C-alpha cells in the first residue's frame, strides 16, 4: 500500500494527520544565540613601540609608561672634518598608536649644527632653525661649542600613526664633533584587546530552508516578533574587554537570541493499523474475531 492508506475510505489517516496534535508536531521551535567574545592581554612597552634599526635604540625610563628613544650615536668627537655634514638614521615601529599619550624631544647634544626630524618633518634645529640638513650656504660652520640643549619640543602628532617612523639626525661638523638626541614617549600600559570572535549556534538553522525566524532579541531589544521585524535596532554600547581588564570597547551588538520555527518531515504510516482494522472487521462475529499482530493473523 503505497499511499492508499492516506485516502482510505475510513478516513483514519486524514482524521489523525489533520488533528490539532498532529499539526503541532509538524513544526518545532528551536532557539539559538550569537555571542561576541573578547580576550585581553597585558600591554608591554615593546607592544606599543619597538626599535626597528639604525643608529640609536629604545629603553624604558623612570616612571610608569615611559619610553626613551635614543636618536643617533652617543659619544664625543667621533667625526672630524670642516663644514662636513653627517647623516644618521634610526627607525622605530609604532604598533599601538592609540596607546601613545605624549612624545617630547627632551635633550640634544652636538657640535656644531644639528637638525632632528621624524618622517622628514623637522622637530628641532640649532643654531639655524631653518636648516635643511643638506647644505651649508654662506653660514658660519664653526661655533666652538659642544651644545647640550633641552628643547622639550612636543612631536606627538608625528608618531600617532601605526607603522615605521624614521628619525634623522643631521649634523654639520667643523673640526671634531658629534650629534645625538633623546626623546621621551609617555604611553598607556593598561591591558588591551587581544582577540575577538563570534560564537554562532544559529548557523545550521539559518541554512535550513525549512526554518523561519520567529523572534529575535539583540542586547535586550526585540528586533523580530512573531515572524515580523519590529523596526527597532540596538544602540552600539561599550563593555569591558573582560572581568580582569576594565578597558572598554564599543561594538554595534554583543548578544543575539533567536527563535526559529522549523518544519519537520513527519509522515504518518497507518497502513498496518488499517490492515489490522480490516482483519478485525471482516472476521468479527458474535463469537469473536481474528486479529493481526506483527503481520500474522491470529
Amino acid at each position: 500500500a503505497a499511499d492508499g492508506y492516506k485516502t482510505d475510505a475510513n478516513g483514519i489517516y486524514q482524521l489523525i494527520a489533520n488533528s490539532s496534535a498532529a499539526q503541532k508536531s509538524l513544526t518545532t521551535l528551536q532557539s539559538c544565540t550569537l555571542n561576541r567574545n573578547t580576550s585581553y592581554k597585558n600591554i608591554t612597552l615593546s607592544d606599543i613601540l619597538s626599535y626597528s634599526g639604525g643608529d640609536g635604540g629604545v629603553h624604558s625610563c623612570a616612571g610608569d609608561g615611559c619610553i626613551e628613544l635614543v636618536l643617533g650615536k652617543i659619544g664625543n668627537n667621533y667625526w672630524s672634518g670642516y663644514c662636513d655634514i653627517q647623516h644618521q638614521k634610526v627607525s622605530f615601529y609604532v604598533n599601538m598608536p592609540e596607546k601613545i599619550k605624549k612624545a617630547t624631544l627632551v635633550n640634544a647634544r652636538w657640535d656644531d649644527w644639528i637638525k632632528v626630524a621624524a618622517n622628514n618633518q623637522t622637530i628641532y634645529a640649532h643654531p639655524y632653525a631653518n636648516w635643511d640638513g643638506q647644505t651649508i650656504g654662506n653660514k658660519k660652520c664653526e661655533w666652538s661649542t659642544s651644545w647640550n640643549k633641552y628643547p622639550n619640543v612636543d612631536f606627538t602628532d608625528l608618531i600617532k600613526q601605526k607603522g615605521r617612523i624614521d628619525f634623522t639626525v643631521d649634523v654639520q661638523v667643523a673640526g671634531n664633533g658629534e650629534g645625538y638626541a633623546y626623546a621621551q614617549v609617555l604611553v598607556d600600559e593598561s591591558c588591551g584587546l587581544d582577540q575577538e570572535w563570534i560564537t554562532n549556534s544559529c548557523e545550521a538553522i539559518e541554512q535550513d530552508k525549512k526554518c523561519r525566524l520567529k523572534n529575535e532579541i539583540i542586547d535586550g531589544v526585540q528586533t523580530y516578533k512573531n515572524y515580523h521585524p519590529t523596526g527597532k535596532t540596538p544602540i552600539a554600547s561599550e563593555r569591558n574587554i573582560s572581568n580582569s581588564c576594565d578597558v572598554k570597547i564599543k561594538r554595534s551588538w554583543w548578544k543575539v537570541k533567536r527563535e526559529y520555527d522549523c518544519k519537520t518531515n513527519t509522515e504518518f504510516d497507518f497502513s498496518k493499523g488499517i490492515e489490522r482494522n480490516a482483519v478485525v472487521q471482516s472476521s468479527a462475529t458474535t463469537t469473536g474475531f481474528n486479529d493481526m499482530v506483527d503481520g500474522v493473523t491470529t
Side-chain angles (χ1 to χ4, degrees), residues 61-78:
C61 45
D64 294 335
C66 182
I67 301 174
E68 180 183 77
L69 306 182
V70 180
L71 312 177
K73 178 183 176 181
I74 299 173
N76 183 47
N77 289 335
Y78 44 75

Side-chain angles (χ1 to χ4, degrees), residues 104-150:
T104 308
L105 186 71
V106 293
N107 180 227
R109 303 178 187 187
W110 75 95
D111 183 0
D112 289 87
W113 305 359
I114 195 170
K115 176 189 173 184
V116 180
N119 287 350
N120 298 316
Q121 299 292 312
T122 300
I123 298 173
Y124 178 71
H126 196 87
Y128 301 107
N130 61 349
W131 183 40
D132 62 7
Q134 304 295 324
T135 58
I136 300 295
N138 58 0
K139 298 182 178 66
K140 172 184 174 183
C141 289
E142 176 62 72
W143 284 72
S144 301
T145 302
S146 290
W147 304 92
N148 184 5
K149 294 285 188 179
Y150 295 86

Side-chain angles (χ1 to χ4, degrees), residues 67-229:
I67 301 174
E68 180 183 77
L69 306 182
V70 180
L71 312 177
K73 178 183 176 181
I74 299 173
N76 183 47
N77 289 335
Y78 44 75
W79 291 316
S80 61
Y82 195 82
C83 293
D84 287 350
I85 299 174
Q86 304 290 339
H87 305 286
Q88 298 181 92
K89 179 179 176 181
V90 59
S91 300
F92 304 91
Y93 199 90
V94 177
N95 303 294
M96 304 176 74
E98 71 279 5
K99 291 287 187 179
I100 293 177
K101 297 191 289 187
K102 187 176 182 180
T104 308
L105 186 71
V106 293
N107 180 227
R109 303 178 187 187
W110 75 95
D111 183 0
D112 289 87
W113 305 359
I114 195 170
K115 176 189 173 184
V116 180
N119 287 350
N120 298 316
Q121 299 292 312
T122 300
I123 298 173
Y124 178 71
H126 196 87
Y128 301 107
N130 61 349
W131 183 40
D132 62 7
Q134 304 295 324
T135 58
I136 300 295
N138 58 0
K139 298 182 178 66
K140 172 184 174 183
C141 289
E142 176 62 72
W143 284 72
S144 301
T145 302
S146 290
W147 304 92
N148 184 5
K149 294 285 188 179
Y150 295 86
N152 290 320
V153 177
D154 188 317
F155 63 96
T156 308
D157 290 344
L158 298 182
I159 67 168
K160 286 278 284 185
Q161 54 186 308
K162 185 169 182 150
R164 197 178 77 180
I165 307 295
D166 296 322
F167 288 87
T168 52
V169 179
D170 301 317
V171 179
Q172 184 279 131
V173 177
N176 295 318
E178 70 285 331
Y180 55 95
Y182 297 96
Q184 188 178 86
V185 182
L186 301 180
V187 300
D188 176 9
E189 283 186 284
S190 60
C191 55
L193 180 65
D194 183 22
Q195 295 183 7
E196 182 174 342
W197 69 99
I198 306 295
T199 53
N200 182 5
S201 65
C202 297
E203 188 171 2
I205 305 175
E206 290 172 332
Q207 296 174 2
D208 190 339
K209 295 181 179 179
K210 297 186 297 295
C211 294
R212 181 185 178 192
L213 180 61
K214 182 178 182 180
N215 296 306
E216 180 183 70
I217 298 175
I218 304 178
D219 294 340
V221 178
Q222 185 148 19
T223 55
Y224 246 78
K225 185 174 183 180
N226 292 328
Y227 311 103
H228 298 288

